[in-house]
Amino acid sequence: MISALSGPDADTQCLVIEPNRSMSWQTLVSLYLLMVFVSLAIGLAYFHIGLTLVLPFCGLEMLALGAALYVTSWRNSIREVVTVDDQSVAVEVGRDKPVERYEFQRSWTKVILEHPPVSWHPSRLLIRSHGRQVEVGQFLNEEERRGLAQLLIRMITPLEAVKP
């Protein structure tokens, strides 16, 4: 998901890039607790009729499901913020706060959409300058990545370079 924000001044443009989440953390926890309740009820029913090993396996299954849901939710909470002002292009990557920051001179920055050598692999969207590069939008689908590339090119390319 790509969101455009206004920067601190009129010349600053900001994009927030996040993965598409199917449900919020609260909804995910509610769904997980419902599944734990149903699994526990089934395990207790089988335990009551004498099949005692069903209950521990229900517990293991729910622990594995909880761990998988947590890891998936944690990985989907990443956020990339691209800020373009008069002089620079900054890319910040993190979850709750920026963990990594990359800064490039705007006049030398290129946006490159690398097509994969094999058709079923995803393309890569790179912001590159002076031998350094950072990949943005790894979690986007192909259509969103192409749209982001066009949007970044329009944001970064100075208006003087576009005029004939």
Side-chain angles (χ1 to χ4, degrees):
M1 178 169 59
I2 304 165
S3 307
L5 301 176
S6 60
D9 56 17
D11 295 332
T12 303
Q13 299 173 334
C14 212
L15 290 178
V16 179
I17 308 161
E18 302 175 288
N20 293 326
R21 289 185 224 141
S22 59
M23 61 181 75
S24 68
W25 174 251
Q26 292 81 13
T27 307
L28 188 67
V29 169
S30 300
L31 179 67
Y32 175 68
L33 291 176
L34 176 69
M35 293 179 75
V36 166
F37 176 74
V38 170
S39 181
L40 185 61
I42 292 170
L44 286 173
Y46 277 106
F47 184 80
H48 182 67
I49 61 172
L51 298 172
T52 57
L53 287 179
V54 172
L55 189 58
F57 281 101
C58 286
L60 286 174
E61 181 181 36
M62 289 299 106
L63 281 174
L65 177 65
L69 290 175
Y70 178 79
V71 168
T72 302
S73 180
W74 181 77
R75 288 186 67 190
N76 281 337
S77 66
I78 195 164
R79 181 176 300 142
E80 297 172 347
V81 179
V82 179
T83 307
V84 179
D85 62 19
D86 288 341
Q87 302 297 320
S88 66
V89 176
V91 179
E92 298 175 339
V93 181
R95 287 183 167 68
D96 296 330
K97 60 182 181 178
V99 176
E100 299 175 23
R101 179 177 170 83
Y102 306 92
E103 193 160 347
F104 305 99
Q105 290 180 355
R106 181 176 176 179
S107 57
W108 294 97
T109 303
K110 301 280 185 214
V111 176
I112 299 165
L113 184 63
E114 285 186 352
H115 297 287
V118 183
S119 64
W120 62 79
H121 286 222
S123 62
R124 295 178 59 202
L125 179 57
L126 304 169
I127 297 177
R128 184 181 290 168
S129 176
H130 289 95
R132 295 182 314 132
Q133 67 183 19
V134 61
E135 184 175 358
V136 294
Q138 294 176 339
F139 39 76
L140 299 175
N141 63 35
E142 285 300 315
E143 183 180 325
E144 289 174 326
R145 196 174 294 117
R146 277 190 231 110
L148 177 61
Q150 293 172 355
L151 183 60
L152 285 171
I153 289 170
R154 282 196 308 264
M155 286 173 60
I156 293 173
T157 305
L159 292 176
E160 298 83 39
V162 177
K163 293 180 183 177

